[in-house]
């Protein structure tokens, strides 16, 4: 089945300019501030409209949007508190096995490989990545990207680019040592039997920005499959999942949200969310600190106790 690559409309940022903007708040800061105020005022209306939309809308598996260096804070927490929880595998000499479902064109897993190689010297790890669409698997395995595909992140930096890619003509090609850390396969999150046979259990499982593309009934099946891929004392990353369902299922399966930098991670993951987020089934609400269930609702990293 071929998927429409919907990340093609995004354009390359200049990594050097991105770095300068982050250092100089100025106009960008006030623009963001006005978005926050607007977001808070529209919040009750948005929650009402969005839950109405979620009851009737058809989801699609054809959304393949992804990007390199999507959430730097989530990466920092991964190489810090998450690896602490997993017992610092780089010190034990054990290979860290990572399963990444719904990997799209591979940007997420190559980012992870690049980050771990830099931040956790001596860590032996391997990522088993997969996607529903064979066309995405082929693209990911090629490791070759146009500038628009490679450089569109809001957070892209010159450092990340130079340690992740070699330049071959107009293409950014993932460095061979990072490609060697990942293998790609076709797999369906709903294929309970096949997943059990082929994947896991692993200490670290990712299924990001995919569960909100499944109907609630299918998201429940997929979540059960993900839980079964997790070993005891494992960690699940599930950015991009309907909030109500995230609260319900993480509670039911006894998964605990990791609170480190939670608000910041959640906000970074909303960077492409339109201001009228309630008109998109995949839209996520702005972080609302008064939500009593906020630690589960806005959590992207969950711990399975052993
Ligand atoms: C929006 S992309 C997210 C990519 C990446 N995980 C990220 O966060 O940047 C969603 C991906 O989920 C894949 N997908 C959709 N339904 C799936 C399923 N049932 N099983 C596995 N992958 C699926 C799509 O092909 C697409 O590549």
């Amino acid at each position: 089945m071929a998927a429409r690559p919907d990340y093609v409309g995004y354009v390359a940022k200049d990594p050097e300019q991105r770095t300068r903007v982050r250092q100089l708040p100025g106009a960008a800061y006030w623009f963001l501030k006005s978005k926050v105020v607007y977001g808070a005022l529209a919040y009750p209306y948005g929650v009402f409209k969005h839950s109405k939309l979620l009851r009737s809308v058809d989801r699609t598996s054809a959304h393949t949007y992804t990007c390199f260096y999507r959430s730097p804070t989530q990466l920092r927490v991964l190489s810090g508190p998450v690896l602490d929880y997993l017992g610092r595998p780089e010190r034990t000499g054990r290979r860290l096995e990572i399963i990444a479902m719904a990997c799209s064109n591979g940007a997420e897993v190559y980012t992870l490989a690049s980050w771990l190689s830099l931040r956790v010297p001596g860590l032996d790890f391997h990522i088993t990545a997969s996607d529903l669409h064979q066309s995405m698997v082929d693209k990911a395995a090629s490791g070759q990207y146009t500038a628009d595909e490679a450089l569109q992140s809001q957070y892209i930096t010159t450092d990340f680019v130079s340690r992740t890619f070699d330049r071959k003509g107009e293409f950014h090609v993932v460095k061979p040592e990072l490609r060697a850390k990942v293998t790609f396969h076709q797999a369906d999150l709903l294929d309970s039997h096949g997943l059990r046979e082929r994947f896991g259990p692993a200490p670290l499982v990712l299924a990001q920005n995919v569960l909100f593309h499944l109907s609630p009934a299918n998201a429940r099946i997929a979540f059960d499959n993900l839980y079964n891929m997790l070993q005891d004392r494992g960690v699940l990353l599930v950015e991009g999942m309907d909030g109500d369902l995230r609260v319900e299922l993480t509670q039911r399966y006894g998964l605990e949200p990791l609170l480190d930098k939670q608000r910041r991670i959640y906000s970074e993951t909303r960077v492409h969310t339109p201001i009228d987020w309630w008109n998109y089934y995949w839209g996520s609400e702005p972080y609302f600190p008064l939500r009593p269930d906020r630690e589960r609702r806005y959590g992207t990293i969950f711990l399975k106790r052993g």
Side-chain angles (χ1 to χ4, degrees):
M1 195 193 316
R4 180 174 54 94
D6 52 5
Y7 43 83
V8 291
Y10 288 80
V11 292
K13 311 276 186 318
D14 173 355
E16 289 197 23
Q17 202 198 352
R18 301 309 311 166
T19 311
R20 282 199 299 276
V21 167
R22 268 196 307 283
Q23 286 161 356
L24 292 174
Y29 173 81
W30 286 108
F31 173 70
L32 282 175
K33 193 111 182 149
S34 68
K35 266 181 98 170
V36 170
V37 172
Y38 174 82
L41 291 177
Y43 181 77
Y45 172 80
V47 169
F48 170 75
K49 288 291 277 186
H50 196 235
S51 59
K52 197 165 162 210
L53 175 74
L54 290 185
R55 285 197 289 276
S56 57
V57 74
D58 285 334
R59 275 74 166 179
T60 169
S61 68
H63 276 298
T64 57
Y65 174 76
T66 188
C67 95
F68 284 88
Y69 213 44
R70 191 169 190 162
S71 172
T73 306
Q74 194 190 51
L75 290 169
R76 271 194 285 279
V77 171
L78 196 60
S79 55
V82 167
L83 288 193
D84 288 342
Y85 181 75
L86 295 177
R88 299 287 352 160
E90 74 274 24
R91 289 188 202 141
T92 62
R94 260 181 296 119
R95 182 162 101 156
L96 175 65
E97 295 294 342
I98 303 171
I99 296 178
M101 305 297 297
C103 70
S104 185
N105 73 5
E108 180 184 26
V109 288
Y110 287 133
T111 298
L112 183 55
S114 175
W115 182 266
L116 289 177
S117 301
L118 175 80
R119 290 298 177 116
V120 198
L123 175 68
D124 183 16
F125 67 94
H126 178 260
I127 307 174
T128 304
S130 63
D131 195 86
L132 177 65
H133 301 288
Q134 186 61 48
S135 54
M136 288 295 117
V137 174
D138 295 343
K139 168 77 181 172
S142 79
Q144 181 168 297
Y145 301 90
T146 63
D148 291 346
E149 290 165 353
L151 308 180
Q152 44 147 312
S153 168
Q154 295 295 317
Y155 306 106
I156 204 81
T157 63
T158 44
D159 256 15
F160 173 79
V161 174
S162 62
R163 66 172 187 262
T164 306
F165 302 105
D166 292 322
R167 290 297 299 275
K168 291 215 172 121
E170 63 188 290
F171 291 106
H172 287 69
V173 181
V174 176
K175 289 185 182 292
E177 60 273 25
L178 300 180
R179 291 170 65 181
K181 294 285 189 189
V182 195
T183 48
F184 293 97
H185 311 263
Q186 187 280 332
D188 183 349
L189 263 170
L190 302 178
D191 175 17
S192 308
H193 179 70
L195 295 179
R196 233 188 335 269
E197 302 243 296
R198 294 168 63 203
F199 300 106
L204 184 54
V205 176
L206 284 73
Q208 305 219 90
N209 300 299
V210 60
L211 293 178
F212 57 15
H213 287 308
L214 305 178
S215 68
N218 282 343
R220 285 191 167 84
I221 296 171
F223 198 89
D224 188 63
N225 291 336
L226 290 167
Y227 182 80
N228 289 329
M229 279 182 227
L230 257 189
Q231 73 174 45
D232 285 345
R233 208 174 165 79
V235 180
L236 178 65
L237 269 66
V238 281
E239 166 199 333
M241 174 182 186
D242 168 55
D244 288 346
L245 212 51
R246 200 179 317 198
V247 172
E248 177 200 316
L249 294 179
T250 58
Q251 209 148 29
R252 182 182 309 157
Y253 285 82
L255 297 171
E256 282 176 33
L258 183 72
L259 303 183
D260 294 72
K261 303 271 184 290
Q262 191 183 73
R263 181 175 187 159
R264 187 157 178 181
I265 296 172
Y266 183 78
S267 304
E268 282 179 3
T269 62
R270 292 188 76 251
V271 77
H272 294 300
T273 308
I275 199 144
D276 59 336
W277 54 272
W278 51 84
N279 286 324
Y280 303 82
Y281 75 73
W282 48 267
S284 57
E285 64 185 57
Y287 186 96
F288 188 60
L290 301 181
R291 280 270 201 188
D293 52 12
R294 63 187 172 279
E295 294 179 351
R296 289 182 183 282
R297 177 171 298 276
Y298 305 127
T300 64
I301 304 176
F302 290 88
L303 312 179
K304 179 179 181 181
R305 295 288 177 193

